[in-house]
Amino acid sequence: MHLATLATLAPLLFSTCAGHVTQSRLHDASCTRTTVAVLGGGMAGVTAAQALANASLHDFIIVEYRDTLGGRVWHTEFGQGPDGQPWVIEYGANWNRRADREQIQGLGSENAANPVWTLAKKYGLKNTYSDYGSILTYNETGYTDYSHLLDEYSAASERASERAGSILNDNIQDMTARSGLALAGWRPRRDDMAAQAVEWWNWDWEGAYTPETSSFVFGVASENLTFNQFGDQNNLVLDRRGYSAIIQGEASTFLHHNDSRLRLNTRVADIEYGPGGVIVRNSDGSCISAANAICTFSLGVLQNDAVNFTPSLPDWKQTAIAKFNMGTYTKIFMQFNETFWPDDTQFFLYADPTTRGYYPVFQSLSTDGFLPGSNIIFVTVVQDQAYRAERQSDEQTKREVLEVLQKMFPDKHIPDPIAFTYPRWSTEPWAYGSYSNWPAGTTLEMHQNLRANVDRLWFAGEAMSAQYFGFLHGAWFEGREAGMNIAALLHDECVSIYDIETCGARKHYDVLHGTTPAAAYSVVNGWTANSTTIQA
């Protein structure tokens, strides 16, 4: 560690054996004092606080924008069941395959267990196996069998996965998923809308971004790490308590009823940080003075400047935040007075004749094992189509979806739904999107800058996980690690803050490597370079 870094860190640690700060250079006497401020009450925030409590560090405060814990694991009541009670649907976490869907992905293997699946079993979360092979294909003329394209993509995807692994091993530069898939033999024509729909189902539906904008290596690696480590079975959560029951259940292991350490309905407005601590100022006028803070805000919140940082975050941090992508994944729910679609099929893939990703994947909840008799079906859109739907009225979206359903089932009379709803993730001020995606050409150093701490301000969440970005278990791992980092820094067994293995700050890069310096162009095709420009 550099001497300059040591000089910066030297005043940071002033703690008793119990972990309570006795001195802080950044302090406001009007603020509530605590050792750790946990900003955000989603999976990462609750797991971070739990790690602190497990280390006997109980002096913390959790600040949450919403009126409940759970973050982007968000459910709501919908429609009406035969007993007169509403059904419960998940706006957010869907498949734990991406961080904010309600499905438990990677149920586990003999060697490892997904922590989210472990929690699901612990709290008896009701869930049902989702069979991705239970799918019918449609276009604007109705049912049209292009399932052979699903097999073609699957074969190409396997070849692409092998190639991505070799690229990682050989340390070759990343490429777009479009390039990686093309090299594996998957090259759909722009006008082959069936192939475009199959690609959307396999790539966009998972990453919420197109292959043109997604990292080939890290996109494939994240999928493989999850499935190879935890298993390839996925279960859809259908619990009346909501998927967030596992998060609230874990919070109840260390929070008491009406615990003063939990502040709901509290919006963080400003974070002042420095070597001496962190001051968190909220929109209601309250403030918290903490020795450390763990920021678990979504990447979307960070990108939209929803919270002011004082001083401004350093350039290396701002660059990393701007570099990564925040996807929008919007599920549109409909309940009808009957199930007019095949009730023995889970998924219905639609290939629009002109627009890729136009209401492409419908999923039935009326199927046996899910919510039979509910007559509920939902369709998913992402990115551009999600932004468009989220910015128009419910009525306009409803008309468009019903028109698609009429094309898919031309021999049926498609009635108006008796219940209709969808979230607007891209405009929610506590989320600004659904989950993160790794852009093409983004290095591990850039990602390390995203998760690195700045003085006493730490960061956690699904976007901070290099292995499991976009997954709920990514948020679990990152929250736990941030809590453990601070516990090691504050606990009495941490002999010195200079002990980099247990107490050191996360590494960041002021200068990124792996990019081409301007000077290199001086020997290419007669180009010359100076310190500011490249000119012929």
Side-chain angles (χ1 to χ4, degrees), residues 392-460:
Q392 65 189 21
S393 68
D394 282 13
E395 284 302 315
Q396 177 64 29
T397 301
K398 184 192 305 181
R399 286 195 298 270
E400 292 173 354
V401 175
L402 293 179
E403 288 172 0
V404 169
L405 286 170
Q406 189 64 73
K407 292 176 181 178
M408 293 171 63
F409 305 102
D411 297 331
K412 301 283 188 179
H413 168 67
I414 309 300
D416 285 338
I418 57 177
F420 182 88
T421 189
Y422 62 98
R424 286 169 166 80
W425 280 108
S426 63
T427 61
E428 286 290 348
W430 50 271
Y432 287 120
S434 303
Y435 52 84
S436 67
N437 184 60
W438 196 298
T442 304
T443 67
L444 281 168
E445 288 186 357
M446 296 175 188
H447 184 267
Q448 183 64 29
N449 282 359
L450 182 65
R451 75 189 295 270
N453 61 298
V454 183
D455 290 325
R456 308 309 282 168
L457 180 61
W458 298 71
F459 293 83

Side-chain angles (χ1 to χ4, degrees), residues 466-517:
Q467 299 96 326
Y468 310 117
F469 61 90
F471 290 81
L472 190 57
H473 47 274
W476 187 92
F477 282 114
E478 288 296 308
R480 183 184 68 161
E481 182 171 331
M484 292 172 64
N485 283 157
I486 292 179
L489 202 155
L490 294 176
H491 205 277
D492 63 337
E493 69 183 22
C494 179
V495 177
S496 168
I497 58 171
Y498 308 145
D499 180 1
I500 190 69
E501 294 301 320
T502 58
C503 300
R506 292 174 175 173
K507 182 177 178 59
H508 78 268
Y509 297 85
D510 290 304
V511 177
L512 296 169
H513 303 85
T515 56
T516 305

